[in-house]
Amino acid sequence: MSRFLWLVLYSMLAAASGNDQTVKFSMRNLCGEDIRVFWIGFDGKLVEQSALPTKNSSSVGINSYRSHRFVVTYNRGSDAEVKAHALQEGTQYQVGATNDIVTVEPGLILVRHDAAHRGLEACRLAVQKCDPRAGLPPPSPPPPTQAERSAVAGSSQMSAQCVQGHVADWIADRRGELDFEWTVYRNIK
């Protein structure tokens, strides 16, 4: 009985704390030079996230919690200089609710690639595949005739079906990846 009470108490405490949601994310360095990634501790001190600086085109995987803050800075100077620069001029990142991939672009610009970003990218690519005019500025022709408007409406419906098909394929591919990851996880566990 006491074991059950401990379990209930632990569950209640975990539910009550707002920071108990574990999130994994990855920072990919695409800025052109070595960077350092620090967690900003609750006391304001910086905690290094990898033993060595993150080289260009490399990544650092981080296990953290929702709402934790990190700062990214260039690896220029001594350890004390890098930390001082990080606190004064580094680029900060706050962990969100999803497992993100964050790219560090030139100028220490951070770009979050979450599920919404990947979905929008899939839609953009589907539109490009289905409409060769996508991305081009619209021409300025004379107003269309009724026959031309009907043809465009039919073409738009076919394009929408094409985009829907490509996005459905993309989702199926992602589902396959997730199924594979789940199988590997279960086998390792």
Side-chain angles (χ1 to χ4, degrees):
M1 182 73 165
S2 65
R3 185 175 178 187
F4 174 76
L5 291 175
W6 279 111
L7 183 60
V8 169
L9 179 61
Y10 177 79
S11 298
M12 289 171 52
L13 288 173
S17 79
N19 284 340
D20 234 21
Q21 191 173 5
T22 303
V23 177
K24 295 178 184 179
F25 69 97
S26 174
M27 285 235 178
R28 181 157 173 82
N29 180 5
L30 301 176
C31 76
E33 61 181 282
D34 294 357
I35 60 168
R36 292 181 52 194
V37 181
F38 299 94
W39 172 56
I40 303 172
F42 301 115
D43 58 0
K45 292 183 181 176
L46 299 180
V47 179
E48 186 112 32
Q49 294 302 294
S50 61
L52 299 172
T54 306
K55 301 229 176 267
N56 187 53
S57 77
S58 298
S59 295
V60 58
I62 299 173
N63 295 323
S64 189
Y65 294 92
R66 187 176 181 176
S67 80
H68 278 192
R69 294 181 312 129
F70 291 81
V71 64
V72 179
T73 191
Y74 294 112
N75 185 39
R76 298 177 182 160
S78 69
D79 190 56
E81 291 170 330
V82 169
K83 286 182 176 181
H85 183 267
L87 288 171
Q88 294 168 3
E89 299 178 36
T91 302
Q92 291 193 18
Y93 170 76
Q94 185 167 345
V95 178
T98 60
N99 298 333
D100 298 337
I101 297 172
V102 179
T103 56
V104 182
E105 307 289 334
L108 295 179
I109 295 170
L110 303 182
V111 179
R112 178 180 289 185
H113 300 275
D114 59 6
H117 171 84
R118 290 189 298 269
L120 287 172
E121 187 66 16
C123 290
R124 186 186 66 75
L125 292 172
V127 167
Q128 285 180 341
K129 289 179 182 178
C130 296
D131 185 359
R133 298 169 295 144
L136 299 176
S140 306
T145 65
Q146 180 60 37
E148 290 172 330
R149 279 193 294 254
S150 296
V152 167
S155 172
S156 294
Q157 186 176 10
M158 286 186 348
S159 291
Q161 290 171 346
C162 177
V163 169
Q164 183 179 5
H166 280 290
V167 171
D169 290 345
W170 179 84
I171 291 171
D173 289 345
R174 297 300 82 71
R175 178 65 190 183
E177 290 173 7
L178 290 173
D179 288 345
F180 174 75
E181 289 177 7
W182 179 248
T183 301
V184 169
Y185 170 77
R186 280 192 327 216
N187 289 338
I188 290 174
K189 193 177 178 182

